[in-house]
Amino acid sequence: MVESNSADLMDKIVSLCKRRGFIFQSSEIYGGINGFWDYGPLGVELRKNIRDCWWNDMVRRRDDVVGLESSIIMHPKVWEASGHVGGFTDPMVDCKVSKQRFRADQIFFSAVVVDGKIVGYVTVLESERIAEELQEKAETFKRKKAIQGKLEPVQPRDFSEAKPEEIPLIPSPATGEPGSLTPPRAFNMMFETYVGPLRDESAVAYLRPETAQGMFVDYKAILDTGRVKIPFGIAQVGKSFRNEITPRNFIFRSREFEQMEMEYFIADDDDWAKWHRYWIDWCREWLVSVGIPASALSEYNHPKEKLAFYSKGTTDLMFKYPFGVQELWGIAARGDYDLTQHAKASGQPMEYFDDAKKKRYVPHVIEPAVGVDRILLAILCSAYCEDQAPDEKGKMETRVVLKLHPRIAPIKVAVFPLLKNKPELVKKAQEVRDLLRPYMTVFYDEASAIGRRYRRQDEVGTPFGVTIDFDTLGEKGPELADTVTLRERDTMKQERVKISDLLGILLPRVR
Ligand code: ATP
């Protein structure tokens, strides 16, 4: 089997997504809009299955987590109190010549040092091979300028670490020439809008850049319903918006995306590190349960000196995407910062009276925050596979197969009559389709040769195929009547099963 893990894996996934109706560029007929994506018929199903799995495991199957759907536009004071108005910024750099914009921490540069002397600078954009690419560029630079002497190894730094006197000497990633990059400046990533008919300062509101603030703002209301006791969590799934400077890597970094976040409130004197660990492990196991191999996941602990002052610790679960190891899920221990901020700004107390401990305190919080789109991309990257399978004439050909976990596959089973011009086969196949449909997503397909129909389903990750043939009709003897071929996607193994047994066989395997 050829596992496709090469650099062109991303291209193959993007093209499969478009061809088969998973993901399209938004507003494509108008040339597209950068950082926005549409989910087509199969993409919607996949996304919904991811969301539903998360919701079932995170909320419905637990006693200590409840759900919330707060509004996307909230009172602007929410974002002042949370620190987003003042500090939700990325360092932005402009190239004055090309008019392109970059995030400072995504531009990497190094001095080119020959015999201990700086002879120039080289630049690359963030990638998996920053040091190697800079080294190659430094060698080319030295050769082109015909500089003699010993080239020292490059020392990569990102542009936010550039000294003011270095900035004019660092080449722009757009033009390759120095002199056009501006010093980094803070760019607030919140989208602004106006609420009501007036378009003045007093009407400014924001599209939420995270769902988490909804949980903090409604914490009191949920507490007052009397349903919850510390420790407990509030979970929410919903759209978030960030005016990212450089949206990229397909759906990995977009300007409109969906988050699944949960705020877990614990006692002020509870062992936060224990809960932090608990949620990191929970998230990791959950990812594995939807088909992401544990071997593709790793943990990154944010260094203490880079944490916000209130944060006790943040660990990111990282996934090995084709474009590098990147953050998939952030699990942050946020102390009592958010509730305290909202208590101060709103004048509403956020304390919890702990019956068991007979004391009042502002709870501390552990926050696992993840993007649906990043999970979806990680799932597609994990599932994409190419192997060899025989075509109709027995000739081996490359088969593209999405080895999606049956739990999240958009279509669970495809039902095929062997021939479409035999009414008895079609009728029987439609009966099988109708038998399964109330319990799972079924795709009925009677067009083209059976091998082709299998391939089409392999490519979109359908784990099972059921074929109705002449044996089903009892033409080869009564013992095979009302049996069908059940084909398994990954092994391509086929077995003969009774129609009356189908549901019992399939249901436990797709749930
Ligand atoms: P990054 O450093 O990659 O910008 P972040 O640390 O700002 O991410 P958080 O604010 O912790 O991200 O958001 C929580 C989760 O939301 C992330 O782990 C990621 O899964 C998702 N997410 C954040 N920004 C985006 C985006 N622009 N597009 C898609 N998903 C996103």
Side-chain angles (χ1 to χ4, degrees):
M1 187 173 68
V2 187
E3 291 264 359
S4 184
N5 244 330
S6 54
D8 60 359
L9 177 60
M10 262 324 277
D11 290 342
K12 289 182 176 174
I13 289 174
V14 174
S15 121
L16 173 72
C17 282
K18 182 168 180 195
R19 195 171 66 244
R20 300 305 313 271
F22 282 92
I23 303 168
F24 311 119
Q25 200 180 7
S26 165
S27 322
E28 199 170 9
I29 59 166
Y30 290 102
I33 170 166
N34 200 4
F36 297 89
W37 300 94
D38 293 346
Y39 285 81
L42 291 175
V44 176
E45 294 294 332
L46 180 55
R47 219 172 133 86
K48 187 174 171 338
N49 292 344
I50 294 171
R51 245 193 254 129
D52 288 351
C53 277
W54 187 88
W55 192 259
N56 283 334
D57 294 340
M58 180 59 99
V59 183
R60 294 198 173 144
R61 295 190 178 133
R62 297 185 68 104
D63 290 326
D64 59 346
V65 179
V66 294
L68 174 73
E69 245 179 73
S70 63
S71 61
I72 286 177
I73 294 180
M74 299 166 81
H75 197 294
K77 286 207 172 131
V78 169
W79 305 108
E80 284 169 26
S82 67
H84 283 82
V85 171
F88 193 59
T89 56
D90 268 347
M92 180 173 70
V93 176
D94 284 311
C95 168
K96 287 180 282 188
V97 171
S98 70
K99 307 285 178 231
Q100 284 194 44
R101 294 204 146 152
F102 303 95
R103 247 173 73 171
D105 56 359
Q106 290 174 352
I107 301 178
F108 286 82
F109 72 98
S110 171
V112 181
V113 183
V114 177
D115 286 343
K117 259 182 53 194
I118 295 179
V119 295
Y121 285 83
V122 283
T123 320
V124 295
L125 284 175
E126 186 182 34
S127 77
E128 241 186 315
R129 306 175 52 245
I130 293 167
E132 292 99 308
E133 284 180 22
L134 281 173
Q135 192 65 38
E136 285 158 21
K137 283 206 168 171
E139 279 157 20
T140 312
F141 180 92
K142 177 176 174 274
R143 200 174 53 247
K144 281 203 174 146
K145 303 252 171 192
I147 300 168
Q148 299 300 315
K150 186 174 171 295
L151 177 68
E152 291 179 16
V154 291
Q155 306 279 343
R157 278 180 287 155
D158 80 50
F159 197 78
S160 55
E161 299 167 284
K163 298 188 192 114
E165 62 274 21
E166 287 178 311
I167 288 177
L169 307 173
I170 298 172
S172 157
T175 64
E177 296 298 325
S180 65
L181 293 179
T182 63
R185 64 204 151 91
F187 170 76
N188 194 304
M189 290 195 289
M190 280 200 294
F191 280 100
E192 277 183 25
T193 184
Y194 297 91
V195 173
L198 286 179
R199 299 220 141 216
D200 62 12
E201 271 302 298
S202 69
V204 168
Y206 305 97
L207 301 192
R208 67 177 175 204
E210 60 172 38
T211 64
Q213 294 306 319
M215 278 81 102
F216 296 124
V217 169
D218 287 347
Y219 150 86
K220 201 76 188 105
I222 289 179
L223 210 56
D224 291 345
T225 62
R227 279 193 57 171
V228 288
K229 267 209 174 78
I230 292 263
F232 75 93
I234 309 177
Q236 163 153 237
V237 178
K239 286 276 175 103
S240 291
F241 303 82
R242 295 184 188 178
N243 198 1
E244 297 278 357
I245 299 167
T246 44
R248 61 205 189 119
N249 292 329
F250 196 29
I251 53 170
F252 177 81
R253 186 177 299 290
S254 22
R255 289 180 166 138
E256 173 179 334
F257 54 99
E258 189 158 42
Q259 288 188 307
M260 305 196 287
E261 297 192 289
M262 196 274 294
E263 305 303 320
Y264 198 73
F265 300 96
I266 59 173
D268 59 346
D269 57 1
D270 202 345
D271 182 354
W272 69 267
K274 180 195 81 182
W275 282 112
H276 192 221
R277 187 71 246 166
Y278 170 86
W279 284 109
I280 299 167
D281 293 341
W282 189 94
C283 297
R284 182 192 276 271
E285 279 162 29
W286 188 86
L287 289 171
V288 172
S289 81
V290 292
I292 295 180
S295 59
L297 295 169
S298 54
E299 284 177 25
Y300 170 74
N301 294 315
H302 289 236
K304 284 244 158 15
E305 61 280 10
K306 290 210 168 168
L307 289 176
F309 69 92
Y310 53 81
S311 177
K312 299 190 165 203
T314 297
T315 301
D316 292 338
L317 281 177
M318 313 291 283
F319 176 76
K320 196 170 180 299
Y321 290 96
F323 43 85
V325 174
Q326 297 278 346
E327 171 181 341
L328 170 57
W329 203 327
I331 301 100
R334 299 179 60 87
D336 61 1
Y337 176 75
D338 304 272
L339 288 181
T340 307
Q341 284 294 102
H342 287 302
K344 270 195 237 158
S346 68
Q348 303 286 327
M350 295 285 170
E351 283 172 330
Y352 171 84
F353 181 73
D354 196 318
D355 256 343
K357 293 182 173 155
K358 297 280 177 258
K359 67 169 197 168
R360 268 179 203 288
Y361 55 80
V362 177
H364 286 217
V365 77
I366 311 286
E367 173 191 89
V370 69
V372 178
D373 315 80
R374 279 194 195 177
I375 294 180
L376 195 141
L377 184 56
I379 283 175
L380 288 176
C381 295
S382 307
Y384 186 95
C385 204
E386 289 174 7
D387 61 12
Q388 297 291 311
D391 67 7
E392 275 95 66
K393 295 185 185 106
K395 201 173 125 244
M396 293 307 264
E397 58 170 15
T398 301
R399 173 179 86 131
V400 172
V401 47
L402 277 188
K403 294 192 170 175
L404 295 174
H405 193 293
R407 256 187 116 188
I408 50 130
I411 302 166
K412 308 296 184 202
V413 57
V415 175
F416 312 116
L418 186 64
L419 298 170
K420 72 169 170 188
N421 53 5
K422 290 278 179 271
E424 316 87 283
L425 289 177
V426 168
K427 184 165 167 284
K428 202 76 189 166
Q430 288 175 347
E431 277 170 29
V432 172
R433 174 196 66 190
D434 296 342
L435 169 82
L436 300 175
R437 193 160 263 176
Y439 305 93
M440 60 191 81
T441 38
V442 182
F443 186 75
Y444 175 81
D445 188 6
E446 54 181 36
S448 73
I450 191 75
R452 282 250 212 85
R453 282 182 268 168
Y454 283 148
R455 290 294 174 280
R456 279 207 294 265
Q457 292 306 312
D458 290 341
E459 211 185 31
V460 299
T462 307
F464 301 103
V466 170
T467 304
I468 286 81
D469 56 19
F470 293 105
D471 295 357
T472 318
L473 304 178
E475 291 193 3
K476 279 212 188 128
E479 66 288 354
L480 288 180
D482 285 322
T483 64
V484 291
T485 310
L486 177 64
R487 173 186 181 268
E488 207 266 333
R489 173 197 67 202
D490 298 348
T491 57
M492 294 185 276
K493 280 209 182 99
Q494 307 196 359
E495 53 174 331
R496 203 77 207 170
V497 303
K498 286 196 192 131
I499 292 177
S500 54
D501 289 342
L502 256 184
L503 206 51
I505 296 172
L506 289 176
L507 262 187
R509 295 170 76 178
V510 300
R511 278 201 175 149

